[in-house]
């Protein structure tokens, strides 16, 4: 159980797909102009990641290593299409605002990377923990990015006006350059957080060693 | 031999994936179609609130090769024609965009609604955002500015059509789709009115058409749509070449 928790935790800060592994950035910059898009994209992506990892992990001994990449792509593409169809059928408004980015989950490096590096070697429980952790790590960054960009660039939060009417939106933050700007601040914040957490665990180890001595 | 085996395994995975996709597709198909039908019907009602019937029109096609008229409706309220509604798709920034364009008998746009658009979220997608105003003071949305706009206007982005900030291509493409549908509808209506008057019938909507100066004087701006003496096809040709 402890091992599963540590796998789950990895994706949120230490191995955050966007801030530490730095993969799948293009769609992250593109959709984070609006908080509801961020949440929708995060959920869709987590769903695809979870089910692709589960399938690959279950069949990992039945996939010859020579054709593993095409098999991964087939599995990921199938789940992405399922999400796309489901969203069109049951959440038409969300599907409309996400536009082309749902089909593009297929080529999101995070899924390919996690399937190749993790799911094809691990058993089911740790794979589920990894997918949920990575998905949550992806989603919180998207929502955070989107909240700041939407607030500064449009004066709204999830489409609701929060800034006073006199506030002139800074369009720069909605455009891709502003996205990179906010994104780099997130990276620095994450590195700071990581160092801080590592320092505190080291301190604890030192203390426990001293007590033992 | 080994390669054949690998190929067969890959085929097996692909077939399983296809089968499961087919199941999901069959499962969601009705719901997706219903959603788009509901969307279409509510948009039609939204543009023409007084309308009671929408009759399919078969003989109106787009003069532009890359803009397609998917369905054309003649909008009527108790057999009194109100105008035309065209579901039209054409290229935009992120692939094809589908719009519903309503044209009334005053030779103006009754309303435009988006059926499908795949442009950049936060930029081009603002075309479908009901709270994104191109004119903040008057709270006019990008599509809202077409409402009541006469087809004799030039429809030029940044001149008489306000653009969406940072989405000029979307603005231009959507404007062009609206203009194409509007011009074709006017040409079609002119042809119908002419045919009706040749048969000696008085079209029910004549009073409102007569109120428009464009009919009596031809086209004040010399736009090819004013060539109301020709058939729809003839008047559509110079229009396509003129762009």
């Amino acid at each position: 159980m402890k091992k599963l928790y540590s796998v789950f935790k990895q994706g949120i800060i230490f191995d955050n797909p966007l801030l530490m592994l730095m993969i799948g950035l293009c769609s992250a910059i593109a959709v984070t102009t609006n908080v509801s898009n961020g949440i929708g994209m995060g959920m869709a992506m987590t769903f695809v990641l979870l089910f692709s990892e589960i399938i690959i992990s279950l069949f990992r001994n039945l996939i010859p290593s020579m054709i593993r990449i095409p098999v991964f792509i087939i599995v990921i593409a199938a789940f992405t299409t399922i999400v796309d169809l489901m969203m069109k059928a049951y959440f038409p408004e969300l599907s409309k605002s996400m536009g082309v980015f749902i089909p593009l989950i297929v080529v999101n490096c995070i899924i390919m990377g996690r399937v190749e590096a993790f799911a094809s070697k691990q058993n089911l429980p740790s794979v589920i923990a990894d997918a949920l952790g990575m998905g949550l790590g992806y989603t919180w960054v998207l929502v955070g990015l989107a909240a700041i960009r939407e607030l500064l660039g449009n004066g709204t939060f999830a489409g609701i006006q929060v800034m006073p009417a006199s506030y002139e939106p800074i369009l720069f933050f909605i455009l891709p350059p502003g996205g990179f700007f906010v994104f780099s601040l997130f990276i620095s914040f994450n590195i700071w957080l990581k160092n801080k957490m590592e320092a505190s665990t080291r301190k604890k180890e030192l203390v426990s060693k001293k007590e033992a001595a | 031999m080994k390669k054949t085996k690998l190929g067969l395994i890959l085929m097996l995975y692909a077939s399983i994936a296809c089968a499961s996709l087919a199941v999901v597709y069959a499962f969601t198909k009705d719901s997706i179609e219903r959603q788009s039908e509901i969307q279409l019907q509510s948009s039609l009602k939204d543009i023409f609130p007084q309308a009671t019937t929408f009759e399919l029109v078969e003989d109106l096609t787009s003069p532009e090769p890359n803009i397609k008229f998917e369905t054309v409706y003649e909008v009527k309220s108790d057999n009194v024609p109100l105008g035309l509604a065209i579901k039209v798709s054409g290229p935009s920034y992120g692939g094809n965009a589908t719009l519903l364009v309503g044209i009334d008998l005053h030779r103006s746009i009754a309303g435009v609604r988006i059926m499908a658009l795949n442009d950049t979220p936060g930029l081009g997608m603002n075309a479908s955002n009901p709270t994104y105003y191109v004119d903040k003071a008057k709270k006019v949305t990008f599509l809202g500015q077409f409402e009541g706009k006469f087809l004799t206007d030039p429809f030029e982005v940044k001149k008489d059509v306000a653009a969406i900030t940072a989405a000029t291509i979307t603005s231009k493409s959507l404007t062009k789709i609206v203009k194409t549908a509007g011009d074709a509808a006017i040409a079609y209506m002119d042809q119908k009115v002419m045919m009706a008057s040749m048969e000696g019938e008085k079209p029910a909507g004549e009073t409102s058409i007569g109120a428009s100066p464009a009919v009596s004087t031809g086209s004040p701006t010399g736009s090819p749509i004013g060539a109301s003496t020709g058939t729809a096809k003839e008047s559509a040709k110079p229009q396509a070449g003129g762009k």
Side-chain angles (χ1 to χ4, degrees):
Chain A
M1 206 51 222
K2 210 168 177 201
K3 191 192 150 236
L4 289 186
Y5 179 66
S6 75
V7 169
F8 174 74
K9 217 173 52 183
Q10 281 296 320
I12 298 173
I13 306 233
F14 291 96
D15 266 344
N16 189 294
L18 291 170
L19 302 178
M20 294 308 290
L21 308 180
M22 309 220 179
I23 48 180
L25 300 185
C26 26
S27 55
I29 297 290
V31 296
T32 52
T33 51
N34 177 314
V35 173
S36 28
N37 280 357
I39 297 171
M41 184 71 180
M43 304 262 269
M45 158 82 189
T46 309
F47 177 88
V48 175
L49 183 62
L50 180 64
F51 282 92
S52 306
E53 283 207 41
I54 288 175
I55 294 289
I56 300 292
S57 168
L58 285 177
F59 289 87
R60 66 184 185 279
N61 296 326
L62 295 172
I63 300 172
S65 68
M66 270 176 86
I67 55 161
R68 66 183 194 286
I69 301 289
V71 171
F72 294 167
I73 293 174
I74 289 172
V75 172
I76 297 167
F79 280 112
T80 308
T81 315
I82 289 173
V83 169
D84 193 24
L85 289 173
M86 291 284 195
M87 275 179 112
K88 274 195 187 131
Y90 304 112
F91 306 98
E93 287 307 311
L94 190 61
S95 164
K96 257 170 116 187
S97 74
M98 304 289 295
V100 78
F101 289 105
I102 292 296
L104 283 182
I105 291 179
V106 172
V107 287
N108 196 314
C109 310
I110 297 172
I111 300 177
M112 201 65 192
R114 290 325 287 173
V115 163
E116 162 78 3
F118 197 88
S120 61
K121 300 181 185 88
Q122 302 283 337
N123 60 4
L124 194 59
S126 42
V127 154
I128 294 176
D130 178 71
L132 292 178
M134 284 287 160
L136 192 62
Y138 183 73
T139 310
W140 85 256
V141 176
L142 283 196
V143 173
L145 273 176
I148 293 178
R149 289 181 69 188
E150 194 189 344
L151 193 68
L152 295 178
N154 206 17
T156 56
F157 183 85
I160 304 153
Q161 189 77 32
V162 282
M163 290 298 221
S166 58
Y167 174 75
E168 182 66 36
I170 312 165
L171 187 67
F172 172 73
F173 284 102
I174 287 288
L175 298 174
F180 281 109
F181 190 81
V182 180
F183 186 61
S184 62
L185 291 176
F186 266 75
I187 296 175
S188 357
F189 170 72
N190 195 57
I191 292 174
W192 172 81
L193 199 66
K194 184 179 164 239
N195 288 342
K196 194 125 190 165
M197 284 166 88
E198 276 174 355
S200 79
T201 47
R202 238 177 287 144
K203 223 183 221 170
K204 264 184 211 156
E205 276 167 23
L206 272 179
V207 169
S208 60
K209 260 185 202 165
K210 261 184 197 167
E211 277 171 358
Chain B
M1 198 50 219
K2 194 164 178 260
K3 274 186 188 154
T4 325
K5 198 185 154 202
L6 287 181
L8 285 176
I9 293 174
L10 192 54
M11 195 182 87
L12 186 70
Y13 278 103
S15 337
I16 295 171
C18 283
S20 53
L21 278 186
V23 170
V24 176
Y25 176 74
F27 196 67
T28 54
K29 193 175 132 231
D30 290 343
S31 184
I32 292 174
E33 273 171 10
R34 206 171 337 118
Q35 292 288 0
S36 66
E37 189 59 32
I38 290 171
Q39 193 196 356
L40 182 69
Q41 290 301 334
S42 66
S43 302
L44 282 171
K45 274 273 170 200
D46 203 20
I47 297 176
F48 294 102
Q50 323 91 320
T52 50
T53 50
F54 301 98
E55 286 171 20
L56 272 179
V57 174
E58 304 282 356
D59 54 343
L60 179 58
T61 50
S62 168
E64 302 268 336
N66 53 2
I67 293 179
K68 283 199 174 62
F69 293 174
E70 289 180 8
T71 35
V72 183
Y73 298 94
E74 189 176 354
V75 185
K76 286 183 175 173
S77 163
D78 298 327
N79 277 331
V80 178
L82 294 172
L84 287 180
I86 303 180
K87 189 182 172 197
V88 52
S89 71
S92 181
Y93 186 71
N96 266 6
T98 308
L99 302 179
L100 182 73
V101 183
I103 301 99
D104 61 23
L105 296 174
H106 302 283
R107 306 182 150 254
S108 66
I109 302 284
V112 183
R113 299 288 180 277
I114 286 186
M115 297 290 110
L117 184 66
N118 290 319
D119 287 4
T120 323
L123 300 174
M125 285 309 275
N126 275 336
S128 57
N129 183 348
T131 55
Y132 178 86
Y133 302 118
V134 285
D135 186 341
K136 283 200 176 164
K138 289 182 192 154
K139 298 217 164 186
V140 174
T141 57
F142 175 72
L143 295 175
Q145 67 182 323
F146 292 114
E147 220 157 289
K149 192 168 173 59
F150 287 98
L151 263 307
T152 43
D153 286 351
F155 276 74
E156 267 184 60
V157 173
K158 288 183 181 169
K159 285 183 185 150
D160 62 327
V161 173
I164 300 166
T165 316
T168 313
I169 296 178
T170 303
S171 310
K172 281 188 177 163
S173 322
L174 297 188
T175 306
K176 189 175 174 202
I177 295 172
V178 172
K179 175 79 171 159
T180 310
D183 284 350
I186 298 286
Y188 179 80
M189 288 197 277
D190 281 346
Q191 185 201 4
K192 273 207 111 178
V193 169
M194 218 179 58
M195 272 160 56
S197 58
M198 271 197 289
E199 284 165 21
E201 281 175 30
K202 281 210 167 181
E206 203 203 35
T207 41
S208 53
I209 289 177
S212 161
V215 165
S216 46
T217 58
S219 168
T221 53
S223 150
I225 49 150
S228 46
T229 44
T231 64
K233 261 189 188 164
E234 273 167 355
S235 63
K237 259 183 205 160
Q239 191 183 318
K243 283 200 177 163

